[in-house]
Amino acid sequence: MEWIDAATASERLGVKPATLYAYVSRGVLRRRRGDDGRRSLFSAEEVERLARRGRPRSQPPELVIESAVTALGVDRPYYRGIDALRLARTTPFEQVADWLWTADPATLGPPTEAAR
């Protein structure tokens, strides 16, 4: 495997050395130390592949929070698997809050006339 120094890798990618090291910290490129222990070397093949593919685009991180209480659907939230908008239209706030707190389906009870 051919290894190239940081200056050559930066030039081939058209980026500053600081950007090259940012690629290393984000896992886009791998780096190894030169025999002198001071120089950084990069796989020429990996650099070439990145140069052909183009600069890595930053993507917003996907936030995942596991919850048994709330699920965010495409168009609305769900509380314990029930459409939150439907709950708001058919069930008094206090009753929903009690049900969310206790997870006891009996506390949800039938919808009241006032909440419809």
Side-chain angles (χ1 to χ4, degrees), residues 46-112:
E46 220 175 45
V47 169
E48 186 58 36
R49 195 174 326 124
L50 180 57
R52 281 194 306 269
R53 190 175 72 211
R55 290 185 179 183
R57 307 240 181 333
S58 54
Q59 298 175 346
E62 184 176 319
L63 182 62
V64 177
I65 300 173
E66 298 289 330
S67 170
V69 178
T70 304
L72 299 177
V74 176
D75 60 343
R76 64 189 62 201
Y78 292 83
Y79 296 141
R80 299 194 187 278
I82 298 177
D83 180 343
L85 298 180
R86 187 184 71 135
L87 278 171
R89 285 192 304 267
T90 62
T91 311
F93 172 81
E94 294 80 4
Q95 204 172 338
V96 173
D98 188 36
W99 169 68
L100 287 171
W101 186 259
T102 64
D104 179 6
T107 61
L108 197 54
T112 63

Side-chain angles (χ1 to χ4, degrees), residues 27-60:
V28 175
L29 282 177
R30 287 177 298 152
R31 170 184 74 119
R32 78 172 180 106
R33 296 267 180 214
D35 293 336
D36 62 4
R38 296 175 49 164
R39 292 183 336 145
S40 293
L41 299 174
F42 300 86
S43 162
E45 180 182 321
E46 220 175 45
V47 169
E48 186 58 36
R49 195 174 326 124
L50 180 57
R52 281 194 306 269
R53 190 175 72 211
R55 290 185 179 183
R57 307 240 181 333
S58 54
Q59 298 175 346

